[in-house]
Amino acid sequence: MAFSMRQKVLFKHCDPAGIVFYPRYFEMMNDCVEAFFDHIGHPFEELHTKAAVPTAQIETTFTAPSHHGDMLDIRLGCTRIGTSSLGIAWHGSADGETRFTASATLVHVGQNGRPLPWPAPLRNTLELHLEGAD
Amino acid sequence: MAFSMRQKVLFKHCDPAGIVFYPRYFEMMNDCVEAFFDHIGHPFEELHTKAAVPTAQIETTFTAPSHHGDMLDIRLGCTRIGTSSLGIAWHGSADGETRFTASATLVHVGQNGRPLPWPAPLRNTLELHLEGAD
Amino acid sequence: MAFSMRQKVLFKHCDPAGIVFYPRYFEMMNDCVEAFFDHIGHPFEELHTKAAVPTAQIETTFTAPSHHGDMLDIRLGCTRIGTSSLGIAWHGSADGETRFTASATLVHVGQNGRPLPWPAPLRNTLELHLEGAD
Amino acid sequence: MAFSMRQKVLFKHCDPAGIVFYPRYFEMMNDCVEAFFDHIGHPFEELHTKAAVPTAQIETTFTAPSHHGDMLDIRLGCTRIGTSSLGIAWHGSADGETRFTASATLVHVGQNGRPLPWPAPLRNTLELHLEGAD
């Protein structure tokens, strides 16, 4: 996975057990997708003026807990590109220990909520970042 | 799935596309687990004085978007009970349309973060609520 | 304050210190405003099809911490109505102890973000619920 | 205000009106406090092993809305230091336009929730960062 984002585990992410409350991980994964689209020159704020990219399916394994202050390295790879879909995989770690792995399918939809083919320039760019699932 | 919780889709749940931002669904699912443990007489606030119930794995399919004002019916069932684990399934719908399905494995852990067998009274109660996965 | 909403302090609301993380209180206050508008027959999901009600100013005092499992009673009153503004006050308590007090000014705005006079039917209803600040 | 943090307005921050949902601003302000304590060498994750820093009072004015993609510059200053309290002010802007101003009182408390004097090394450091309110 070629793209990565660092995210310190902040106070707001943690629950009474002192570890990341798992819905917060999904916010981080979403932030990571947004940072990736920034990185490839198609920022979410532009994409979302005429379309949206909801998540159709996601599966996650939380391998080890993360504590307040841990520095997470969240890696992201594109695993497949369909007409209007995109497969994403994430790998989150800290201090060399895997904390979570996840994979999802995003769908590019129009303002009516129906699938909409990726615009050609975006699709071409995404294809450059396609990696095998790992 | 015998237990259910109603949750109106509120302003705070929705994103710029006007639909539920998916990390918010995970908060709802977590709230539903908490309401279920309340319902069976083992409230989370008591359980969490000496232990925790982190989510080890979760997979979710978002079938159709939910909009601000929709009344969600979130059903929950226990699909399997291990020594210190619990399988949970959810089914979310509104107006008779499925919005999401999910399944997860929770793990009962002690304050050191290691798996801890379910206390017998809680285990016995959970077994009464065991259903086949559906 | 004539309107009230009960809100149990849930796991998701609490921080590593085991008490409500204060941004979560603002979500609760927002939920309370939304429940109030439901109650008076002008639900947010209808209001927000053509307008919005952003918060222009808010001040809050957190008097005592709230813990996981506490049952909060959140009271809300309308303290003043302007052409396109609304003064709101909240009082949050549990077990008879004040946990927070807050007051805010909301503004009714059009899709261009500019202040928009309250529609007459909504304004008339709000006036019925006007109370002195307390 | 000498300390500043940049925060892009992300998808997760925005509501159906396409602007920052105000409870999300409080998360940003909290993140900014946490980044400030990091910066001065007293990270929150160390401070919170034996104590906590809840917010006792906060007041905020939202001057102009922030949209998805805006780059916020959030400035923070310490306005006063008491035995166990700390006055904080924030100023948030984007493109040279003020978006919000806020001020708060934080309190250093022990594990019993009672005010606890700032440890001398932290207090000395905070005093170096004291500014007049502005």
Side-chain angles (χ1 to χ4, degrees):
Chain A
M1 301 177 187
F3 179 77
S4 75
M5 180 185 89
R6 286 168 72 77
Q7 173 65 61
K8 187 172 177 180
V9 175
L10 300 173
F11 188 74
K12 71 175 175 188
H13 297 130
C14 296
D15 66 19
I19 61 173
V20 173
F21 178 53
Y22 81 90
R24 290 291 198 175
Y25 276 127
F26 291 101
E27 291 190 4
M28 294 181 198
M29 289 183 227
N30 197 72
D31 291 352
C32 188
V33 171
E34 187 162 348
F36 170 71
F37 275 78
D38 261 14
H39 172 71
I40 64 171
H42 295 268
F44 256 31
E45 60 271 24
E46 293 177 10
L47 196 62
H48 282 78
T49 54
K50 299 183 191 159
V53 194
T55 297
Q57 172 273 331
I58 188 163
E59 52 195 45
T60 310
T61 300
F62 302 103
T63 315
S66 296
H67 295 84
H68 187 190
D70 288 355
M71 183 57 77
L72 289 168
D73 178 49
I74 305 179
R75 298 191 160 272
L76 177 154
C78 297
T79 54
R80 61 188 182 286
I81 304 173
T83 307
S84 56
S85 68
L86 179 66
I88 296 274
W90 296 263
H91 179 266
S93 63
D95 293 324
E97 180 188 55
T98 297
R99 299 297 168 80
F100 67 86
T101 56
S103 61
T105 304
L106 312 186
V107 182
H108 184 249
V109 301
Q111 286 177 322
N112 59 2
R114 309 285 305 238
L116 191 68
W118 294 109
L122 173 51
R123 184 189 176 81
N124 293 343
T125 305
L126 287 172
E127 281 174 349
L128 295 175
H129 291 83
L130 195 58
E131 312 174 28
D134 59 6
Chain B
M1 301 178 187
F3 181 76
S4 74
M5 180 185 90
R6 286 168 71 77
Q7 174 66 60
K8 187 173 178 179
V9 175
L10 300 173
F11 189 75
K12 71 175 175 188
H13 297 129
C14 295
D15 66 19
I19 62 173
V20 173
F21 179 52
Y22 81 90
R24 290 292 199 175
Y25 275 126
F26 292 101
E27 291 190 4
M28 293 180 198
M29 289 184 229
N30 198 72
D31 291 352
C32 188
V33 171
E34 188 162 349
F36 170 71
F37 275 78
D38 262 15
H39 171 71
I40 64 171
H42 294 268
F44 256 30
E45 60 269 25
E46 293 178 8
L47 197 62
H48 282 78
T49 54
K50 299 183 191 159
V53 194
T55 297
Q57 173 273 331
I58 188 163
E59 52 195 45
T60 310
T61 300
F62 302 103
T63 316
S66 296
H67 295 84
H68 187 189
D70 288 355
M71 183 58 76
L72 289 168
D73 178 50
I74 305 178
R75 298 193 160 270
L76 178 154
C78 296
T79 55
R80 61 188 182 286
I81 304 172
T83 306
S84 56
S85 67
L86 179 67
I88 295 274
W90 296 263
H91 178 267
S93 64
D95 293 324
E97 182 190 52
T98 297
R99 299 296 169 81
F100 67 86
T101 55
S103 60
T105 303
L106 312 186
V107 183
H108 184 249
V109 301
Q111 286 177 322
N112 59 2
R114 309 285 304 241
L116 190 68
W118 294 109
L122 174 50
R123 183 188 177 82
N124 293 342
T125 304
L126 287 172
E127 281 175 348
L128 296 175
H129 291 83
L130 196 59
E131 311 174 29
D134 58 5
Chain C
M1 301 178 187
F3 180 77
S4 75
M5 180 185 90
R6 287 167 72 77
Q7 173 65 61
K8 187 172 179 180
V9 175
L10 300 173
F11 189 73
K12 71 175 176 189
H13 297 129
C14 295
D15 67 19
I19 62 174
V20 173
F21 178 53
Y22 81 90
R24 291 292 199 174
Y25 276 126
F26 291 102
E27 292 190 3
M28 292 180 198
M29 289 184 229
N30 197 72
D31 291 352
C32 188
V33 172
E34 187 161 348
F36 170 70
F37 274 79
D38 262 15
H39 171 70
I40 65 171
H42 294 268
F44 256 30
E45 61 270 24
E46 293 177 10
L47 197 61
H48 282 78
T49 53
K50 298 182 191 163
V53 193
T55 297
Q57 171 273 330
I58 189 164
E59 51 195 46
T60 310
T61 300
F62 302 103
T63 316
S66 296
H67 295 84
H68 187 191
D70 287 355
M71 182 57 77
L72 288 169
D73 178 50
I74 305 178
R75 298 192 159 270
L76 177 153
C78 296
T79 54
R80 60 188 183 286
I81 304 172
T83 305
S84 57
S85 68
L86 179 66
I88 295 274
W90 295 264
H91 179 267
S93 64
D95 293 325
E97 181 190 54
T98 297
R99 298 296 169 80
F100 67 86
T101 55
S103 60
T105 304
L106 312 185
V107 183
H108 185 248
V109 301
Q111 286 177 322
N112 59 2
R114 310 285 303 240
L116 190 69
W118 294 109
L122 173 50
R123 183 189 178 82
N124 293 343
T125 305
L126 287 172
E127 280 174 349
L128 295 175
H129 291 83
L130 195 59
E131 312 175 29
D134 59 7
Chain D
M1 302 179 186
F3 180 77
S4 74
M5 180 185 91
R6 288 168 70 77
Q7 174 65 60
K8 187 172 179 180
V9 174
L10 301 172
F11 189 74
K12 71 176 175 187
H13 297 130
C14 296
D15 66 18
I19 61 174
V20 173
F21 179 53
Y22 81 90
R24 290 291 198 175
Y25 276 127
F26 291 101
E27 290 190 4
M28 293 180 197
M29 290 184 228
N30 198 71
D31 291 353
C32 188
V33 171
E34 188 161 348
F36 170 71
F37 275 78
D38 262 15
H39 171 71
I40 64 171
H42 294 269
F44 256 31
E45 61 268 25
E46 293 178 9
L47 197 61
H48 281 79
T49 53
K50 298 182 191 161
V53 194
T55 297
Q57 173 273 330
I58 189 163
E59 51 195 46
T60 310
T61 301
F62 302 103
T63 315
S66 296
H67 294 85
H68 188 189
D70 288 355
M71 184 57 77
L72 290 169
D73 178 50
I74 305 178
R75 297 192 160 271
L76 176 153
C78 297
T79 54
R80 62 189 182 285
I81 304 173
T83 306
S84 56
S85 67
L86 179 66
I88 295 274
W90 296 263
H91 179 267
S93 63
D95 293 324
E97 180 189 54
T98 297
R99 300 296 169 81
F100 67 88
T101 55
S103 60
T105 303
L106 312 185
V107 182
H108 184 248
V109 301
Q111 287 177 322
N112 59 2
R114 309 285 304 239
L116 190 69
W118 294 109
L122 173 51
R123 183 187 178 83
N124 293 342
T125 304
L126 288 171
E127 280 174 349
L128 296 174
H129 291 84
L130 197 58
E131 310 174 28
D134 59 6

